[in-house]
Amino acid sequence: MKRIILVGFMGSGKSTVGKKLGERLALPLVEMDLEIEKKANMTIPTIFSQFGEDKFREIESDVLRMVLGKEGIIATGGGVLTQKDNVKLLERETSVIYLKGNLETLIKHIQKDKRQTRPLANNANQEELNQLLLTREPDYQKVSDITISIDGKSINEITECIIMALKEWK
Ligand code: S3P
């Protein structure tokens, strides 16, 4: 069974790159944020505002366990590694790819994105986002087998870099 997992901060392009990569490798895309909304039957901002972040993380962890049984490209949410059990689970996976961007790139992407799935980004200023990125960075690195720098690259370029890296790494 082929499963490729994309991790990285909000705005790193996990969903858009995941879609392209899925097309190139003929694998379905599984988006954790969508699966969370389906499971909770409400939007991510509603989960946060009505039940709080802890409840969101609980659902997210359940969804992670569910998607780790699937074949395909798995686009995780940027905060999935805030739960230590999730770090352990992803460390055991064999094809985890970290889409690494600098703060400037990430903020540019977050601002362009029309989806309303990021209450943590909406309520944070640049310095707070930077702190969050610095806190999360070690865990993205820890679970990943391959790191791809996304700065200055198009979706197609990032996708090709992943395909090349996967070939070299296997
Ligand atoms: C989050 C990232 C979001 C979404 C939720 C929380 C985070 O996913 O899961 O808003 O804590 O970084 P994306 O990384 O797809 O934006």
Side-chain angles (χ1 to χ4, degrees):
M1 190 194 301
K2 203 163 188 195
R3 183 164 51 243
I4 297 169
I5 298 169
L6 303 179
V7 300
F9 201 70
M10 293 173 274
S12 59
K14 300 175 296 284
S15 299
T16 30
V17 170
K19 184 164 182 281
K20 194 85 220 154
L21 191 61
E23 286 163 12
R24 289 281 276 105
L25 301 178
L27 285 169
L29 171 67
V30 181
E31 286 190 67
M32 277 192 58
D33 284 348
L34 290 181
E35 296 298 325
I36 291 168
E37 292 190 328
K38 262 196 246 165
K39 185 173 164 71
N41 199 23
M42 63 184 93
T43 65
I44 289 177
T46 308
I47 305 173
F48 269 80
S49 64
Q50 290 200 5
F51 300 98
E53 183 173 347
D54 287 353
K55 183 68 191 169
F56 173 81
R57 297 297 170 203
E58 220 177 89
I59 305 169
E60 184 178 48
S61 299
D62 288 346
V63 165
L64 179 68
R65 278 162 189 75
M66 188 265 288
V67 301
L68 289 185
K70 293 187 184 229
E71 178 169 81
I73 313 291
I74 315 288
T76 60
V80 72
L81 300 176
T82 56
Q83 310 304 300
K84 292 298 158 217
D85 284 350
N86 295 347
V87 174
K88 284 189 202 146
L89 280 177
L90 286 176
E91 270 184 307
R92 276 189 230 139
E93 287 288 313
T94 48
S95 304
V96 182
I97 296 170
Y98 173 27
L99 300 184
K100 182 179 163 76
N102 64 33
L103 189 67
E104 200 189 340
T105 305
L106 298 168
I107 288 180
K108 203 169 73 191
H109 291 177
I110 290 171
Q111 285 170 347
K112 260 208 247 160
D113 199 330
K114 297 281 176 287
R115 288 173 309 162
Q116 294 293 313
T117 55
R118 296 175 176 139
L120 292 182
N122 295 344
N123 301 327
N125 62 33
Q126 189 161 328
E127 186 42 39
E128 286 163 338
L129 283 177
N130 192 31
Q131 283 310 317
L132 200 57
L133 176 61
L134 290 176
T135 312
R136 291 175 172 185
E137 172 86 30
D139 284 326
Y140 295 138
Q141 295 282 6
K142 191 173 177 183
V143 302
S144 297
D145 305 290
I146 294 169
T147 297
I148 303 285
S149 166
I150 62 160
D151 298 320
K153 294 195 184 99
S154 68
I155 299 298
N156 281 333
E157 285 167 341
I158 297 168
T159 306
E160 294 314 314
C161 282
I162 294 175
I163 290 170
M164 265 173 30
L166 282 169
K167 275 189 196 149
E168 279 167 21
W169 176 71
K170 292 279 173 197

